[in-house]
Amino acid sequence: MTETQENSSSSLSGTDAAIRQAVRDRLPSTIADLSQLVRLPSVSWNSFDPENVVKSAEAVAELARGTGIFDTVEIKRAAIEDTETLGRPAVLAKRAAKNGRPTILLYAHHDVQPPGNAADWDTPPFEPTVKGDRLYGRGAADDKAGVMAHIGAIRALTDAVGADLDLGIALFVEGEEESGSLSFSNFLVDNREALQADTIVVADSNNWDTETPALTVGLRGNVKFTLTVSTLAHASHSGMFGGAVPDSMLATIRLLSTLWNEDGSVAVDGLTTYDGETPDYDEEQLRQEAGILEGVTPIGRGSILSRIWGQPSITVTGIDAPSTDAASNTLAPTTSVVLSIRIAPGQNAEDALQAVEAHLRAHAPFGAHISLAKFELGNPFLVDTSGESVRAAKQAMADAWGVEPVELGIGGSIPFIADLVREFPNAEILVTGVEDPDSRAHSPNESLHLGVFEKSLLAEALLLGRMNAQTSGE
Ligand SMILES: [Zn+2]
């Protein structure tokens, strides 16, 4: 037993022990309910049958009603931003806090990614299958396990405290996270009051490994746009003018090359870096996980995880140019590329865009004309880890897993978190998860580690139990 377990067992040991027992007793039925959700192919993309997302919303609403603790359980939709079209159905359940207790908002999503090519799956994607320690199926981890972690934690809490449940709980299970959360910000505005909470748990991230829990404390933001470089009013024969006339491809290649240093790190003034501690992760692991070819070196500087979590990166993800088959001896007048830029936690996406645009304008070679269009901006996320809920969540994880949690950074982004921060600036946001590095969310053979699921569910139930015993603002 670790020291942290001893400390906590002195204060709330009775409730904690009852919660542990309830989580264990109910685990088989919780996994059975999760399996039923996995059977519903709730893909939220437009090209898939929207009726399946409606059915999974109904199934989640039924599970919420089954807990017996909510004053209201509703299936709701909001308009997609700048349209009158409604987004996919979300489930919103609410019980008010009593006796001065705080309110917690539990978020997950019930929609899933498309299954992709059926031939790439070892088991049918919507037929939940247990093999060894893992439950396979689309959504088994991302994020139907998040949904069931919330439901399971509420069930264990009610088993343990019975009529002494004073904690305010809002449950918000979104139906379109995998298709871009297009109505999310309107949903927050429409349901502001019901969603108001002291602490928000977003159960849609990762753990360090199957033995080590993690709290996600940093997410990079993103800036994406199309850059167009023009040098000529029309194309010309390269034999006629080549050598005297700058073609747009030459200008683009020269311009893009100024974005990186020799070692591949980003060379744009004004893009900031976040200095946080990072766990050990060596080059060999990076080479294996990313499939870096023999003899090819990694790029960047500093510890490997600091490059992925705390530093900016720039990637050219698309280019409009004549294909190699259609290539003729021509000086191209105009070239367009897509730049995908990850920005460090702590920097505003607008500021980052300005820095990159200023760099491009200052470095355009031969006086080439440049223009930027089709912007996509997402702010990064950085948790203030000194908050009381962060401390309590880390303690609950340590107690549930028997191992201290890692503070995790994520190189990608969860765009809707910026919406939560904007609408609820005073709430503490805890990004937790039920996944582990082998979960393969979004890929064929997605799976949930059942041991990780039990420990994550227990950690959340312990957190709820302790908040239930705490006076608001304490
Ligand atoms: Zn997810």
Side-chain angles (χ1 to χ4, degrees), residues 148-319:
M148 285 314 301
H150 295 327
I151 297 286
I154 292 168
R155 288 172 175 170
L157 176 67
T158 49
D159 281 358
V161 305
D164 293 331
L165 180 56
D166 290 337
L167 183 66
I169 302 177
L171 176 70
F172 171 27
V173 183
E174 191 195 355
E176 57 180 23
E177 198 277 339
E178 301 294 5
S179 53
S181 297
L182 299 178
S183 67
F184 190 92
S185 60
N186 281 338
F187 195 96
L188 296 189
V189 173
D190 293 354
N191 300 286
R192 206 162 201 298
E193 203 168 323
L195 294 165
Q196 199 83 44
D198 303 286
T199 302
I200 301 174
V201 176
V202 174
D204 193 18
S205 188
N206 212 343
N207 290 288
W208 180 248
D209 57 31
T210 58
E211 303 299 325
T212 316
L215 188 69
T216 299
V217 299
L219 293 158
R220 285 196 294 190
N222 66 299
V223 171
K224 182 178 166 188
F225 58 86
T226 301
L227 167 70
T228 298
V229 178
S230 304
T231 53
L232 305 173
H234 54 77
S236 296
H237 193 293
S238 61
M240 193 112 69
F241 293 114
V245 167
D247 64 288
S248 63
M249 191 67 91
L250 169 61
T252 303
I253 291 166
R254 294 286 298 260
L255 174 56
L256 291 177
S257 75
T258 67
L259 294 170
W260 301 277
N261 296 306
E262 275 307 305
D263 62 8
S265 60
V266 168
V268 176
D269 280 344
L271 287 184
T272 62
T273 289
Y274 169 67
D275 282 320
E277 269 186 47
T278 52
D280 288 337
Y281 178 97
D282 63 16
E283 184 178 324
E284 201 39 51
Q285 192 176 347
L286 178 73
R287 303 190 73 86
Q288 270 193 10
E289 291 182 358
I292 299 177
L293 295 178
E294 182 70 40
V296 175
T297 58
I299 59 170
R301 50 185 76 162
S303 82
I304 287 175
L305 288 181
S306 80
R307 302 177 208 178
I308 299 171
W309 296 357
Q311 296 182 42
S313 67
I314 301 181
T315 310
V316 178
T317 55
I319 181 160

Side-chain angles (χ1 to χ4, degrees), residues 364-445:
F366 319 116
H369 298 189
I370 69 167
S371 65
L372 281 62
K374 296 188 186 165
F375 301 97
E376 279 176 35
L377 301 185
N379 277 320
F381 173 64
L382 186 60
V383 173
D384 172 6
T385 52
S386 66
E388 173 54 26
S389 294
V390 168
R391 194 204 58 74
K394 288 172 71 176
Q395 182 68 58
M397 285 178 175
D399 294 342
W401 292 62
V403 176
E404 291 291 332
V406 167
E407 290 186 0
L408 199 68
I410 301 278
S413 47
I414 306 181
F416 68 76
I417 288 188
D419 295 332
L420 284 174
V421 173
R422 192 185 56 243
E423 282 304 318
F424 304 112
N426 297 321
E428 274 193 78
I429 300 181
L430 304 171
V431 181
T432 65
V434 290
E435 291 174 30
D436 70 274
D438 291 324
S439 288
R440 299 195 197 170
H442 299 200
S443 303
N445 302 314

Side-chain angles (χ1 to χ4, degrees), residues 51-66:
E51 196 50 35
N52 289 320
V53 185
V54 172
K55 281 184 190 148
S56 77
E58 284 165 355
V60 171
E62 201 47 47
L63 289 166
R65 279 186 211 104

